[in-house]
Amino acid sequence: MTVRHEHYFELLERRLALLGELAAALRDSTDALVRLDIERIDQTVGDQERLCGEILSLDRGLDSLQRKCAAGLDTRGEGGRLEALLGRVAEAQAEVRQLNKRHAALVRRSRRTLDAMLNFLRSAAPTYANPHLAGTAAGGRD
């Protein structure tokens, strides 16, 4: 196996690791959203952005290297190492895709719930307003 082929395997393994980290970040973000842990939500969104950026950068290198050497690789060679690795990457991508769909659905539902709560608060604001914040005391006294 050439150095180029070995580098291709390394990049695929790195992509697999990053996909695993992204899946964990999505699970953490979903848990934080359910708990309404705003700080954790912010942190996990930052983690997701960073991981997506790393995956995108890695994919550029993979695409270039794949064009150069993948045609010469036997997917069953080395005991099926490439075939197995590509299968694991595909599984990880499918998991991330599924977690992303679930998380997006939760965010949409949460947004509708929060919008409904905000509408309620806006409509009830005059009823429950603090008279001291309005500039006058209750009953027209200062």
Side-chain angles (χ1 to χ4, degrees):
M1 177 167 295
T2 68
V3 172
R4 192 180 309 176
H5 290 155
E6 193 56 42
H7 185 58
Y8 182 60
F9 279 102
E10 289 171 8
L11 291 177
L12 283 174
E13 288 169 355
R14 178 68 184 137
R15 189 173 203 286
L16 182 61
L18 288 170
L19 287 169
E21 290 179 45
L22 183 56
L26 282 165
R27 283 190 290 273
D28 287 349
S29 186
T30 298
D31 291 343
L33 189 58
V34 169
R35 290 189 323 272
L36 294 176
D37 183 346
I38 302 301
E39 287 181 28
R40 186 70 182 135
I41 292 169
D42 186 50
Q43 181 183 5
T44 58
V45 166
D47 291 344
Q48 291 169 43
E49 288 174 345
R50 177 186 55 78
L51 289 165
C52 286
E54 287 183 41
I55 290 170
L56 182 62
S57 176
L58 183 68
D59 282 351
R60 288 185 192 119
L62 265 170
D63 289 344
S64 172
L65 192 56
Q66 188 173 23
R67 281 190 297 277
K68 292 176 185 173
C69 73
L73 280 175
D74 179 8
T75 60
R76 293 162 306 213
E78 282 195 37
R81 179 178 171 203
L82 179 60
E83 189 173 276
L85 186 54
L86 289 173
R88 289 176 36 219
V89 168
E91 288 173 8
Q93 287 175 188
E95 179 186 14
V96 167
R97 197 170 20 259
Q98 183 70 340
L99 287 167
N100 193 42
K101 285 180 183 178
R102 287 183 194 156
H103 186 72
L106 178 61
V107 168
R108 280 190 304 275
R109 287 190 308 270
S110 297
R111 182 181 178 115
R112 285 192 298 263
T113 301
L114 288 173
D115 286 345
M117 291 172 68
L118 285 172
N119 285 337
F120 170 76
L121 287 173
R122 283 186 202 112
S123 68
T127 306
Y128 297 106
N130 182 340
H132 295 289
L133 295 178
T136 61
R141 291 178 277 161
D142 289 324

